[in-house]
Amino acid sequence: ISRYTIGHVLRRARDLNPDVRKSCFKGLAAKVDVRALKIGQRAALASSGLGDRVDAVKNACSKMVCDTWLKSADPEEENPLRLLELFDVEENEQAGELVARCVVRHFIEHNRIRVEDDVVRMIGGFEAEEMAAPRALLWRVIAEEAKERNMYDLFESIIPEAPVLCELLHRHLDNEYVLLELLTVARLNDWSDEGGRRMLAATCCESLLSPTAVMGAVG
């Protein structure tokens, strides 16, 4: 597949015939490196394939993402973070969400995310530092999947203590995307501890009063 024919192939991914769509994703997996595609093309393929109403098509796209794109993005470690960094997840939220959830579920089902160390190897520790959008997205999706699957040990290990989480929120008041991801992680947490609740409430109040706060996220 050359750059002259890629447009035709991409159109086949939205063909009315599901067999054509399925064949398209199989062909892309075999012949096209994810880095050879433009960001918009990657996002369009992921959104249409992983969101397809036909399971056979969705499965073909999932296989392309997990077996081919992941290896192309990071041949040595197959780190999902490296793949998400190719998507501009702030501009392509739907594609980023679908890819992150697809890969995280694949990793969990193949026992590649079991303990805190597995997550730390992917996205680093959870100390209060600057957090880019792909990292925040991946962290949130892992936390959601762990909680939904009752993987309590994993979930509790990757949710930081209240002081660290509040400091992360404070550091990202001017980044709406990251702030929303962090707030979602915060909502997943158990805030039965009164001290933690007070700290979070104080952080949210400070956020509302801060001149750098993104009001769409904290409002």
Side-chain angles (χ1 to χ4, degrees):
I1 299 176
S2 70
R3 63 190 181 93
Y4 299 105
T5 60
I6 190 64
H8 172 69
V9 175
L10 294 176
R11 286 191 293 273
R12 287 170 59 87
R14 300 189 300 273
D15 194 276
L16 293 177
N17 187 329
D19 291 333
V20 173
R21 300 198 300 274
K22 176 183 173 182
S23 176
C24 174
F25 286 112
K26 286 187 173 182
L28 285 167
K31 300 179 181 180
V32 180
D33 189 298
V34 64
R35 295 181 182 275
L37 300 169
K38 297 178 180 179
I39 293 176
Q41 294 172 333
R42 298 168 196 155
L45 283 169
S47 294
S48 62
L50 296 177
D52 201 285
R53 64 185 182 277
V54 178
D55 286 342
V57 178
K58 188 184 301 184
N59 291 339
C61 183
S62 177
K63 187 173 179 62
M64 176 188 73
V65 170
C66 296
D67 293 350
T68 304
W69 282 12
L70 190 59
K71 292 178 182 178
S72 297
D74 187 5
E76 295 185 2
E77 298 184 2
E78 297 184 19
N79 188 335
L81 184 59
R82 302 285 87 82
L83 178 58
L84 290 175
E85 288 170 348
L86 300 179
F87 275 85
D88 189 0
V89 297
E90 292 181 80
E91 291 295 324
N92 301 291
E93 292 189 41
Q94 181 187 39
E97 174 78 21
L98 288 169
V99 170
R101 203 162 293 280
C102 173
V103 175
V104 168
R105 287 174 175 172
H106 174 79
F107 270 45
I108 290 176
E109 290 163 6
H110 289 79
N111 293 318
R112 296 178 68 180
I113 299 180
R114 294 169 296 174
V115 296
E116 179 185 3
D117 288 348
D118 295 329
V119 180
V120 170
R121 277 195 294 271
M122 291 181 195
I123 63 177
F126 309 111
E127 64 277 0
E129 60 180 30
E130 295 302 317
M131 183 173 289
R135 184 181 172 202
L137 168 63
L138 186 56
W139 181 20
R140 188 260 297 169
V141 171
I142 293 173
E144 288 179 339
E145 289 291 329
K147 186 169 186 178
E148 182 177 332
R149 294 166 184 260
N150 298 322
M151 300 171 70
Y152 296 120
D153 290 342
L154 175 62
F155 176 76
E156 292 177 1
S157 71
I158 63 173
I159 300 297
E161 296 294 327
V164 176
L165 188 52
C166 289
E167 178 63 19
L168 277 169
L169 289 167
H170 178 75
R171 283 175 177 262
H172 296 87
L173 293 178
D174 59 347
N175 187 323
E176 181 176 5
Y177 184 94
V178 173
L179 185 58
L180 283 170
E181 295 296 307
L182 294 175
L183 286 170
T184 301
V185 171
R187 285 197 292 268
L188 294 172
N189 197 18
D190 177 12
W191 294 97
S192 57
D193 176 69
E194 184 176 354
R197 289 200 308 272
R198 287 180 177 178
M199 188 174 295
L200 180 62
T203 300
C204 290
C205 289
E206 182 181 357
S207 300
L208 290 170
L209 296 173
S210 171
T212 63
V214 182
M215 297 311 295
V218 300

